[in-house]
Amino acid sequence: MVYILNIETATKNCSVSLSKNGEIIAVKELSEEQFNHAEKLHSFIKEVLNEVQISLNDLSAIAVSKGPGSYTGLRIGVSAAKGLCYALDIPLIAIDTLAVLAEQLAIDSGCIVPMIDARRMEVFTQVFDNKLQPVSNAEALIVEEHSFSDLTETIHLIGDGALKCTTVLTAEKFVYHQDIIYPSAKQMGRLSYKKYTENAFEDMAYFEPYYLKDFMLTTKK
């Protein structure tokens, strides 16, 4: 049996799941305006393991959502994953956060554009086809009226970044799925198991979150 612990902390959703041969068998998550990931993450890990009555030593690998997303959230998730992998001597798997978000939507045609809020009118985004394959690179995009003008097919927008685009991206080709807001570890099972079978592991000594943008520290006026 391949048990993989999946950790998703790139947004306001602190999410942990446990998968068995790629199928999710336990989930614990909570979305809050204030980031409480440091307080919640390790208790969530204990809860999903207790739910299926296995221990940390039964894990085959740990998968973590690597970004883009919140600097604080990503650091918390990646630090926890690397620490556990090192202590348990098991491999680390990194999953693209935008791919995790895209997994929540199934479509027959058109494309999926997950968006993670990056403040003001900027979003972290990427285009996926209806088979959930990426057709563009992840980018930090300032959304304006002519964004995605090169795409003529139906564009399905998801994520908390999409919520603020409803008054800007108004063409008929844009379809908003406002019930899909945050990436979740519930969608990481298939992705992490695939990487496990391919031995697509990270070097724990050098792996860092994918911030996409340089960190900028600001102070309140």
Side-chain angles (χ1 to χ4, degrees):
M1 295 296 178
V2 176
Y3 289 106
I4 300 178
L5 183 72
N6 303 288
I7 297 174
E8 165 56 69
T9 58
T11 65
K12 294 177 182 178
N13 190 31
C14 181
S15 181
V16 177
S17 71
L18 183 67
S19 60
K20 178 182 176 182
N21 295 338
E23 297 294 326
I24 299 297
I25 56 176
V27 179
K28 182 68 177 180
E29 61 184 359
L30 179 66
S31 302
E32 294 182 320
E33 283 301 316
Q34 299 298 322
F35 280 87
N36 292 316
H37 298 5
E39 301 173 14
K40 304 293 185 182
L41 181 57
H42 288 283
S43 62
F44 285 1
I45 291 172
K46 290 179 181 179
E47 288 181 38
V48 296
L49 292 174
N50 290 339
E51 184 176 333
V52 295
Q53 298 183 330
I54 69 169
S55 71
L56 287 170
N57 292 323
D58 295 313
L59 295 176
S60 304
I62 294 176
V64 65
S65 180
K66 70 176 186 179
S70 157
Y71 293 98
T72 301
L74 288 170
R75 285 197 300 270
I76 291 170
V78 169
S79 296
K82 290 175 70 172
L84 288 170
C85 285
Y86 181 79
L88 298 169
D89 194 23
I90 56 176
L92 174 68
I93 297 169
I95 307 294
D96 294 329
T97 303
L98 291 166
V100 175
L101 184 52
E103 284 277 322
Q104 296 191 47
L105 186 62
I107 59 173
D108 294 324
S109 61
C111 60
I112 301 172
V113 178
M115 291 181 166
I116 294 175
D117 189 4
R119 298 184 180 180
R120 298 184 179 88
M121 286 309 295
E122 190 171 21
V123 297
F124 299 126
T125 190
Q126 189 173 9
V127 180
F128 294 80
D129 64 20
N130 63 344
K131 303 298 184 183
L132 296 174
Q133 296 301 307
V135 295
S136 74
N137 295 322
E139 62 176 328
L141 174 70
I142 297 176
V143 179
E144 55 186 10
E145 181 182 356
H146 300 293
S147 297
F148 306 106
S149 59
D150 58 319
L151 300 177
T152 58
E153 57 191 323
T154 301
I155 301 172
H156 297 267
L157 300 174
I158 58 176
D160 62 344
L163 298 179
K164 64 186 183 183
C165 297
T166 55
T167 59
V168 180
L169 302 178
T170 58
E172 291 185 3
K173 68 179 179 180
F174 294 107
V175 177
Y176 289 89
H177 299 265
Q178 299 191 27
D179 57 325
I180 302 176
I181 302 175
Y182 300 121
S184 168
K186 290 185 289 188
Q187 276 72 47
M188 292 177 67
R190 183 187 73 85
L191 298 172
S192 60
Y193 183 67
K194 181 176 185 293
K195 283 204 167 186
Y196 182 86
T197 59
E198 296 170 345
N199 292 321
F201 305 135
E202 301 297 328
D203 185 331
M204 283 186 287
Y206 298 100
F207 176 72
E208 295 290 340
Y210 178 46
Y211 295 121
L212 190 56
K213 292 202 312 178
D214 292 333
F215 179 70
M216 295 180 63
L217 180 64
T218 59
T219 56
K220 293 182 179 180
K221 295 181 179 179

